[in-house]
Amino acid sequence: QAQLAESGGGLVQTGGSLRLACAASGRTFSVYAMGWFRQAPGKEREFVATIKWSSGSTYYADSVKGRFTISRDNPKKTMYLQMNSLKPEDTAVYYCAASTVVRTIPTRTGDYGYWGQGTQVTVSS
């Protein structure tokens, strides 16, 4: 069973940067892709970015494209989300997730079977 642990959340000012990390452990051999989602109070969990574990191919939500960068370190089994030019609208709990379902581009919560505990990102206005 794969286990995920996020880190790197915190409080930043508008325009600032933050890097989130998600370390995977346990049974990870079947992971096809990993991704980041975020959820603000009263809102649905929304897709942020995803990366195929083997190829490194990436895909971003329009709301973060050009500002966020997803990457991975295969030997460390760690995924990162570099967030630049942060806006108050980016404030949310950010979750990392791992998918064992083979899809071209997994962007739905249902595509992911394993989730981290979440890390709070707050951007002050």
Side-chain angles (χ1 to χ4, degrees):
Q1 186 176 50
Q3 293 180 309
L4 308 176
E6 303 102 329
S7 62
L11 174 64
V12 298
Q13 295 180 331
T14 297
S17 298
L18 204 62
R19 189 180 76 158
L20 305 183
C22 175
S25 61
R27 189 183 65 82
T28 61
F29 63 87
S30 62
V31 173
Y32 166 72
M34 295 184 71
W36 290 97
F37 289 76
R38 65 187 184 185
Q39 187 167 26
K43 293 186 175 294
E44 295 182 349
R45 190 169 299 185
E46 67 173 347
F47 169 77
V48 176
T50 188
I51 185 168
K52 289 185 178 180
W53 201 249
S54 295
S55 68
S57 298
T58 61
Y59 184 79
Y60 299 89
D62 289 341
S63 59
V64 305
K65 194 169 186 176
R67 299 187 298 121
F68 291 10
T69 302
I70 189 171
S71 63
R72 80 219 194 301
D73 186 328
N74 286 10
K76 295 182 179 180
K77 296 183 179 180
T78 302
M79 175 181 64
Y80 303 93
L81 184 68
Q82 178 66 47
M83 304 183 293
N84 299 325
S85 302
L86 283 164
K87 307 174 181 179
E89 305 93 271
D90 296 318
T91 295
V93 176
Y94 283 70
Y95 298 89
C96 71
S99 175
T100 59
V101 177
V102 179
R103 297 181 66 88
T104 303
I105 305 174
T107 60
R108 304 166 69 120
T109 57
D111 296 330
Y112 296 83
Y114 302 95
W115 296 84
Q117 80 286 353
T119 185
Q120 178 71 47
V121 172
T122 302
V123 184
S124 62
S125 60

